[in-house]
Each structure stands twice: as structure tokens, then as C-alpha cells.
């Protein structure tokens, strides 16, 4: 039995309108979103979230990495809260829903609780984690990783973007723009975490299901490779003296792509960032910097393939030098059965077509998993397309996901 007083308060039109309103901050000409972590666009979007929260009495908080929390006070102020949310930063050519849906669904769930006069025992906090995407500052999931305590704050604050700005400077700018948002200690006890998200894959749509009960998240390793050669004249330098970093990098990419795949298409290997320096037509390239995103659901395969990357690069570097740096290694994980049961029961109680499925994309839930019982709710996105300005969802599916979320939160916080 679902708590109809709660689920009836989910307002599909409001939830949809809020996605459109937030998408104005970082809007791209092609209808997508470019809202980089800790950017002016994200600061503006955070302001909107704080105002929506304040309008229903939610207390905003932030922390040393800029995670933003909106707290709906429970009757037992001392009890660890239930957290729900996701992120509002985006890829450079991102859509309106990746991450944003989880934050807005959390806010909508609290709106529904308030409208029903439902005051849970545990407080509920809607969170927007800092830098989930890792596109401006690498590695991603900085906010949730630091909240978990598995990384050093100083190391993450020292990370710089391509233009040389540090996370520390940018967090200071965010905090300076929010003098009315108090700061709390980074990390605190949490009773449970539930993240709603678009699937970012095609399965729900193909199977005609509205809700995905997420079983777990596949593993991921992230690397940065720097190849160093020597600048030289394109017209005069003979091949035998050249140290062409791009030639070496292309050899590495060829070998890596040849090894990092399987017939079943389970291995996911992506080089999405490539920088050539000095990037001038008549200068032999002296430096190439590229990213590697490697994913697999089996920890042994992930370990074995990831460990092959440095030797492969070394084997074909020619006269150049190569440095392979691993930025993160997150093994695959499975969410607790009890959390999956809660999501499935809520979907079934609401009469929504649902299925269990693993997450191929990464999420902040990955890190909360090690702190508290954690679960995820997926809704479909058209064609499974994401990390793309064309990302698209229906208002009805988003509202269905929010209904499942409010039901789950209501049970967890009671
Ligand atoms: C998250 O955005 C991911 O890349 O999986
Ligand atoms: Mn996301
Ligand atoms: Mn994403």
C-alpha cells in the first residue's frame, strides 16, 4: 500500500517547469545545458534551488567542497537524516535532466510531504553534490567522494581546470555568492540515501517500463595520459630526430582501442579528451594529453584491463616519454536488497511498470553506498541518449519517478 496522501502531492507540471527553469542557467543554442561545476551558471542555478527550498521552509547548508543541502526538519532533529538528490553540473554538451532530475525530484518529494502535512521523524535533506561530471575538474564525484571521506579535501581543492582555476578558488567564489547559506562540517551520519536519475541507457524504453529498480553500478577507472616529445620545425626536422608526441599518442590509442574491447561489448573504453600542444600546423607536437574512461561490471576484468594501460602506452611511446596517472578506481557495487525492495514495492504499489537493471553510468550513489543503505530509481530517457544536448524525458515519467521517490523517502524517514 502506498501513502496516497504523499504521492498525490507530486505536481507533474511544477516538476517539469522547474527542469525548464533550471535549464536556463547554462542553456546552449541547441537546447541543452552547459553548466560546469562551480561556474557562474551553477551559482545561479544554486540560487534558484535555495529560493525554491526557502519558499517551503527548507534550511540551506553548504560545506567545504560546496555540496548544497536543503533540509526539511523532522520531528527528531538529532536522528541522522535521509538524503536524496544528485548533481546539477553538466557535461559541456549536456541535457536538462542528467543529475538535475534527482535534485528536483527530491525537492518535489518534500513539496508533496509538506502539502500533505507529513512531518517525518528523520529530517530529509535534498542534496546537489559538487562536480559529479568531472568534465571541468577531474576526477568527478568530488562532492560525494569527500563526503564519504575516501579522498583528501586538500588534494581535491588543488585540482585545476584547463584555464588554470583551482577548485579552491571556485568553491570560495560559490560560498561568497551565498552569504545566507551557512556552512556545516563536510560529512555527517546519514540514515539512508536515495538517488533518482534518468537511465541514460535504452533498456526501460525498449522494455516499456517506467521505473528502473537499480541493482548496482558497474566499475570505472579513470586515467590521464601525458605524452611528452619535443617541438621542432615541420619543414626541416628529419624523421629520425623527431619526438612527435602526437605520433606516439596515436599509436597508443590504436593499441588501446584494439585491446580494450570484447565481442559482447561489455568493456567500455573511451578517450573523450585529447589536447595537442602547441597545436600549431608547422610545429612537431611536443605534448599530448588524453583522458581514459574505462568501465566494466566485473572487478577482475576492470583490474586486469586497467593494469594493461600503462604497459601498452610504454610499449609504443617511441622516442617520447609517457606518464599514465590513475585519477580514480571505483569497483562495481550492488545496492542492498532491502533498498531495492523498497523501490520495487513503491513502483508496484503505484501500479507502475518496472524492472530491475544495473546502472552502466556512474552516480554519486556510488560513494554514499559505503556510508549508508543506498538505492536508486531510474526513469526512461528517449533513445537512451544522454551526455548530449538532445537528452529528452517525458513530464509523466519524471513525475512517476518522483512519486516512487516520495513513497520510498516517506518509509525511510518515518
Ligand atoms: C556520469 O556522469 C558518468 O559519466 O557515468
Ligand atoms: Mn548524472
Ligand atoms: Mn552525467
Amino acid at each position: 500500500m502506498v501513502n496516497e496522501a504523499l504521492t498525490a502531492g507530486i505536481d507533474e507540471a511544477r516538476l517539469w517547469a522547474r527542469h525548464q527553469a533550471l535549464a536556463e542557467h547554462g542553456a546552449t543554442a541547441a537546447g541543452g545545458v552547459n553548466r560546469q561545476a562551480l561556474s557562474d551558471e551553477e551559482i545561479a542555478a544554486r540560487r534558484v534551488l535555495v529560493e525554491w527550498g526557502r519558499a517551503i521552509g527548507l534550511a540551506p547548508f553548504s560545506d567545504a567542497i560546496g555540496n548544497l543541502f536543503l533540509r526539511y526538519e523532522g520531528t527528531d532533529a538529532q536522528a541522522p537524516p535521509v538524503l536524496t538528490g544528485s548533481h546539477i553540473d553538466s557535461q559541456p554538451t549536456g541535457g536538462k535532466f542528467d543529475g538535475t532530475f534527482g535534485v528536483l525530484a527530491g525537492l518535489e518529494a518534500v513539496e508533496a510531504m509538506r502539502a500533505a502535512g507529513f512531518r517525518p521523524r528523520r529530517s530529509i535533506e535534498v542534496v546537489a553534490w559538487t562536480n559529479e561530471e568531472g568534465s571541468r575538474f577531474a576526477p568527478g564525484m568530488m562532492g560525494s567522494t569527500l563526503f564519504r571521506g575516501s579522498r583528501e579535501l586538500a588534494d581535491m581543492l588543488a585540482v585545476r581546470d584547463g584555464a588554470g582555476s583551482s577548485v579552491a578558488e571556485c568553491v570560495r567564489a560559490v560560498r561568497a555568492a551565498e552569504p545566507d547559506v551557512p556552512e556545516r562540517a563536510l560529512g555527517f551520519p546519514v540514515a539512508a540515501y536515495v538517488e533518482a536519475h534518468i537511465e541514460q541507457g535504452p533498456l526501460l524504453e525498449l522494455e516499456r517500463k517506467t521505473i528502473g529498480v537499480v541493482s548496482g553500478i558497474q566499475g570505472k577507472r579513470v586515467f590521464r595520459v601525458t605524452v611528452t616529445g619535443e617541438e621542432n620545425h615541420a619543414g626541416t626536422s628529419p624523421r629520425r630526430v623527431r619526438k612527435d608526441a602526437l605520433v606516439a599518442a596515436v599509436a597508443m590509442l590504436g593499441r588501446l582501442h584494439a585491446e580494450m574491447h570484447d565481442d559482447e561489448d561489455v568493456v567500455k573504453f573511451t578517450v573523450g579528451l585529447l589536447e595537442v600542444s602547441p597545436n600549431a600546423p608547422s610545429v612537431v607536437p611536443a605534448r599530448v594529453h588524453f583522458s581514459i574512461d574505462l568501465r566494466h561490471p566485473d572487478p577482475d576484468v576492470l583490474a586486469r584491463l586497467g593494469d594493461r594501460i600503462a604497459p601498452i602506452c610504454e610499449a609504443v611511446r617511441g622516442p617520447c616519454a609517457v606518464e599514465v596517472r590513475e585519477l580514480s578506481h571505483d569497483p562495481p557495487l550492488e545496492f542492498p536488497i532491502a533498498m531495492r525492495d523498497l523501490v520495487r514495492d513503491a513502483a508496484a504499489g503505484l501500479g507502475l511498470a518496472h524492472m530491475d537493471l544495473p546502472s552502466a553510468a556512474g552516480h554519486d550513489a556510488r560513494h554514499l553506498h559505503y556510508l549508508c543503505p543506498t538505492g536508486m530509481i531510474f526513469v526512461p530517457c528517449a533513445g537512451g541518449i544522454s551526455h548530449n544536448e538532445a537528452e529528452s524525458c517525458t513530464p509523466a515519467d519524471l513525475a512517476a519517478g518522483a512519486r516512487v521517490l516520495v513513497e520510498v523517502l516517506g518509509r525511510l524517514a518515518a
Side-chain angles (χ1 to χ4, degrees):
M1 283 287 286
V2 297
N3 185 339
E4 275 171 24
L6 290 187
T7 58
I10 297 296
D11 183 333
E12 180 179 316
R14 174 174 56 201
L15 182 59
W16 184 253
R18 286 183 167 174
H19 280 84
Q20 305 310 315
L22 225 58
E24 288 171 18
H25 302 286
T28 62
V33 172
N34 177 8
R35 194 164 52 230
Q36 296 301 307
L38 305 172
S39 63
D40 289 347
E41 291 76 20
E42 198 188 40
I43 288 173
R46 288 165 65 99
R47 169 57 47 197
V48 173
L49 287 177
V50 167
E51 279 166 12
W52 284 336
R54 280 235 168 87
I56 55 168
L58 308 191
F61 295 96
S62 190
D63 60 24
I65 194 65
N67 292 320
L68 176 64
F69 302 86
L70 301 172
R71 179 175 169 100
Y72 181 44
E73 196 72 34
T75 54
D76 181 353
Q78 303 312 315
V82 173
L83 258 56
T84 185
S86 191
H87 59 98
I88 59 165
D89 65 317
S90 80
Q91 295 290 336
T93 52
K96 298 186 180 81
F97 306 98
D98 174 2
T100 297
F101 169 56
V103 176
L104 293 182
L107 190 57
E108 191 59 37
V110 175
E111 293 266 10
M113 287 181 178
R114 264 194 86 256
F118 176 80
R119 184 102 185 277
R121 181 175 75 80
R122 293 184 186 279
S123 300
I124 294 179
E125 297 195 3
V126 180
V127 55
W129 301 107
T130 293
N131 185 31
E132 190 272 351
E133 297 287 8
S135 95
R136 178 180 183 192
F137 298 105
M141 301 194 198
M142 262 181 197
S144 50
T145 319
L146 290 170
F147 189 89
R148 169 185 167 191
S150 58
R151 293 249 188 193
E152 291 299 323
L153 176 61
D155 293 345
M156 294 298 103
L157 290 176
V159 171
R160 289 183 185 274
D161 66 8
S165 302
S166 70
V167 170
E169 289 156 20
C170 295
V171 171
R172 267 200 300 279
V174 169
R175 301 295 301 121
E178 299 173 346
D180 54 334
V181 176
E183 186 157 326
R184 287 192 307 203
L186 177 54
F188 47 80
V190 177
Y193 177 69
V194 188
E195 181 166 349
H197 207 282
I198 63 169
E199 181 201 344
Q200 305 182 281
L203 297 180
L204 292 176
E205 189 180 66
L206 285 171
E207 300 292 329
R208 299 182 187 283
K209 308 288 188 197
T210 307
I211 297 296
V213 181
V214 184
S215 53
I217 305 182
Q218 73 169 336
K220 176 179 178 184
R221 295 177 77 172
V222 173
F223 301 82
R224 284 289 188 275
V225 181
T226 305
V227 188
T228 308
E230 193 175 76
E231 285 154 24
N232 214 329
H233 194 291
T236 62
S237 57
R239 204 164 59 219
R240 67 189 153 71
V241 307
R242 288 191 185 202
K243 295 181 181 169
D244 187 326
L246 185 55
V247 169
V250 166
M252 291 170 196
L253 296 183
R255 280 283 290 277
L256 289 167
H257 274 287
E259 278 206 31
M260 303 284 153
H261 79 277
D262 55 1
D263 292 343
E264 302 76 28
D265 197 17
V266 178
V267 176
K268 295 290 184 293
F269 174 83
T270 306
V271 174
L273 175 147
L274 180 88
E275 291 166 342
V276 180
S277 166
N279 211 22
S282 298
V283 181
V284 173
R287 196 163 176 273
V288 172
H289 180 72
F290 63 90
S291 61
I292 293 176
D293 177 317
L294 174 69
R295 309 198 194 200
H296 202 279
D298 180 328
D300 297 333
V301 178
L302 187 69
R304 180 172 55 74
L305 289 178
D307 290 350
R308 287 284 301 135
I309 289 173
I312 289 173
C313 293
E314 192 57 38
V316 296
R317 68 180 166 76
C320 296
V322 64
E323 185 203 9
V324 178
R325 218 155 47 89
E326 181 157 18
L327 301 188
S328 57
H329 182 162
D330 295 308
L333 61 85
E334 294 218 335
F335 293 127
I337 298 285
M339 294 297 283
R340 289 144 69 175
D341 287 348
L342 262 182
V343 174
R344 197 181 307 100
D345 287 354
L350 284 158
L352 295 165
H354 58 277
M355 66 186 277
D356 288 30
L357 81 178
S359 175
H363 301 287
D364 294 299
R366 178 195 283 298
H367 297 291
L368 274 292
H369 171 74
Y370 298 101
L371 287 182
C372 62
T374 292
M376 288 193 74
I377 302 162
F378 274 175
V379 297
C381 59
I385 293 169
S386 185
H387 285 188
N388 186 317
E389 289 159 288
E391 192 178 82
S392 165
C393 298
T394 68
D397 286 344
L398 299 181
R403 280 185 200 105
V404 173
L405 180 64
V406 72
E407 174 65 21
V408 170
L409 291 175
R411 294 192 199 184
L412 288 168

